[in-house]
Amino acid sequence: MIVINRHKCGHCGACVGVCPENAIDLVDAWVEVSDKCIECGICVKVCPVGALEIQHEG
Amino acid sequence: MKDEYDVLVVGAGPGGSIAAKTAAEHGLDVLLIEKRAEIGNPVRCAEGVGKESIKPFIESDPSWISAEVKGARIYSPDGTAIEMSEDIAGPEVGYVLERKIFDRALALQAARAGAEVMVKTRATGLIIENGFVRGIRGEHFGDDFTVRANIVIGADGVESKVGRWAGINTTLKLSDIETCAEFLMADIDFDQDYCDFYVGNEIAPGGYAWIFPKGKHEANVGVGVLGSRVGSTKAIHFLKKFVDKSCSDGHILEIIVGGVPVSGPLERTITNGLMLVGDAARMTDPITGGGIVNAMITGQIAGEVAAKAISKGDTSTKVLSEYETRWKSAIEDSLDKSLHAKEVLTKMPDEQLNMLAHSIKDVNFGELTATSLLTEITRRNPKMLWELRHLL
Ligand SMILES: Cc1cc2nc3c(=O)[nH]c(=O)nc-3n(C[C@H](O)[C@H](O)[C@H](O)COP(=O)(O)OP(=O)(O)OC[C@H]3O[C@@H](n4cnc5c(N)ncnc54)[C@H](O)[C@@H]3O)c2cc1C
């Protein structure tokens, strides 16, 4: 699961631009991830502030 | 909002506002929507732009000019400076903008030309019928709506969805995006007459750091790093390191983050009933990351072609292909050159970057463009830049 730290996020949309599954939306001042997410981690890499993280369940 | 328009523009950045203005000036019924509550805010830009290049789009106004600069200086890793100014003793050639005000001024131009402008209005999907884009689905202040349009112009920036909804793959690879962080800083001591760029694999792998004067001893201080070259050290960390070294006594007044497409333009920028402009079509220069002017150029062409298509009653790609022909003849050549140079330069070790800088440090550049810089370094370093020989 991709977890977004809303306190860190600068809502710039870079993660949206790189998502190969079109699973991320920059709605207003927040980012939403849909269940299309395949946890590839590309968004985690591009984030300028490190607001995204893959959290493995269990 | 009406139920139907000739043209619907998604995104009120420079590309969308110029597209909407142009279409409205041609007598079309235009709706320009922006999802943010405030056009131009938050800023995602270092705000540097050539003075001449924005002249065709808006009459200059002190309210959106933060500073005027005489030129640019590029510092190699060992500190060698390459100075680019058209005439050092001459007039200022560049502006550092106040984008919050500039973007609003552009949207206001569109509104005054007759376009309807709506903020806090987000496109959430396209209406597609018989292979033609026929409008959008959206959300305004929490309420869903649909609105029809003969042509949709996607000007929705780096996070563009409009192209994807129409089946155009706009996904950026990590090697095709600069991840950026910037502070607006006050009370720092530097030369207010220049935009300064710092390259090097320590400072900004695959990108550069910058200090652009904003007047009153303020500056945009930022770093962009190629997405494929960042690890756990994020753009913000590179920025903090750069600030510690270069201007640690300044005060931070604002933090700005963002992504810049450096992929070169999309191969396909149209479908039936749809055109993509600006960052949505990846029109930023892959070397400089500058995209304001190309957004306006492509926005204007799209507005003009929309008017033609609607007067002909044909919004198919057959008619819209004029958009592609025209933007290509306007900017494809320089974007291509920058893209090739990016592929070579972003892989260079610091020693080679230093050698390139030494080879051109005394050159007088007639023209303040990425192309003129690239041509000169290629000419003087034929062996090292064999792959770039076609730039000459
Ligand atoms: C850190 C940084 C520094 C930069 N420095 C410079 C520079 O010095 N000089 C330069 O020329 N360029 C610079 N750029 C690039 C420049 O900012 C962009 O190229 C330019 O803003 C592109 O204009 P645009 O109109 O295409 O898109 P944008 O200005 O990004 O506008 C797109 C708009 O669309 C809206 N939108 C998105 N999705 C939707 C939707 N679904 N519904 C409604 N609205 C939507 C967004 O909210 C946004 O307002 C920089 C970029 C960054 C990130």
Side-chain angles (χ1 to χ4, degrees), chain B residues 53-129:
Chain B
S53 55
I54 59 168
K55 260 196 188 153
F57 303 101
I58 185 166
E59 209 172 302
S60 105
D61 186 299
S63 69
W64 46 255
I65 300 164
S66 290
E68 298 192 34
V69 292
K70 286 182 184 296
R73 275 183 315 215
I74 304 157
Y75 291 90
S76 72
D78 68 4
T80 306
I82 302 155
E83 190 163 314
M84 295 184 74
S85 46
E86 292 189 1
D87 174 3
I88 294 170
E92 285 79 12
V93 293
Y95 290 137
V96 180
L97 301 172
E98 187 64 44
R99 282 276 311 260
K100 281 173 198 156
I101 300 175
F102 180 71
D103 282 24
R104 283 186 218 184
L106 291 176
L108 182 59
Q109 278 196 147
R112 288 193 174 144
E116 190 177 332
V117 181
M118 286 180 72
V119 293
K120 224 166 155 49
T121 307
R122 183 170 68 104
T124 56
L126 291 175
I127 303 170
I128 300 176
E129 290 167 357

Side-chain angles (χ1 to χ4, degrees), chain A residues 8-28 30 32 36 41-52, chain B residues 35-37 42 44 120 122 139 158-161 164-165 170-174 177-181 227 230-231 234-237 255 257-259 282:
Chain A
K8 264 193 190 178
C9 172
H11 38 95
C12 71
C15 53
V16 183
V18 297
C19 176
E21 299 299 315
N22 201 8
I24 312 183
D25 257 306
L26 173 61
V27 178
D28 193 323
W30 70 88
E32 277 177 7
K36 284 189 283 183
I42 295 178
C43 56
V44 175
K45 293 205 179 100
V46 85
C47 178
V49 293
L52 291 87
Chain B
K35 70 177 173 185
R36 301 178 184 186
R44 297 176 194 149
K120 224 166 155 49
R122 183 170 68 104
E139 183 244 290
V158 67
E159 81 246 40
S160 179
K161 293 262 172 174
R164 294 187 189 206
W165 292 328
T170 61
T171 309
L172 291 161
K173 295 191 302 246
L174 281 172
I177 186 168
E178 296 283 338
T179 154
C180 308
V230 282
K234 299 292 170 192
I236 188 83
H237 305 125
I255 170 164
V257 289
R282 315 316 189 197

Side-chain angles (χ1 to χ4, degrees), chain B residues 10-16 33-36 44-49 99 103 121-123 155-159 165 180 182 210 212 256 258-260 277-280 284 289-293 295:
Chain B
V10 180
I33 64 166
E34 168 56 52
K35 70 177 173 185
R36 301 178 184 186
R44 297 176 194 149
C45 193
E47 309 180 297
V49 76
R99 282 276 311 260
D103 282 24
T121 307
R122 183 170 68 104
D156 47 342
V158 67
E159 81 246 40
W165 292 328
C180 308
E182 175 184 87
W210 65 85
F212 290 3
I256 290 142
V260 182
V277 307
D279 275 18
T284 28
I292 301 170
V293 171

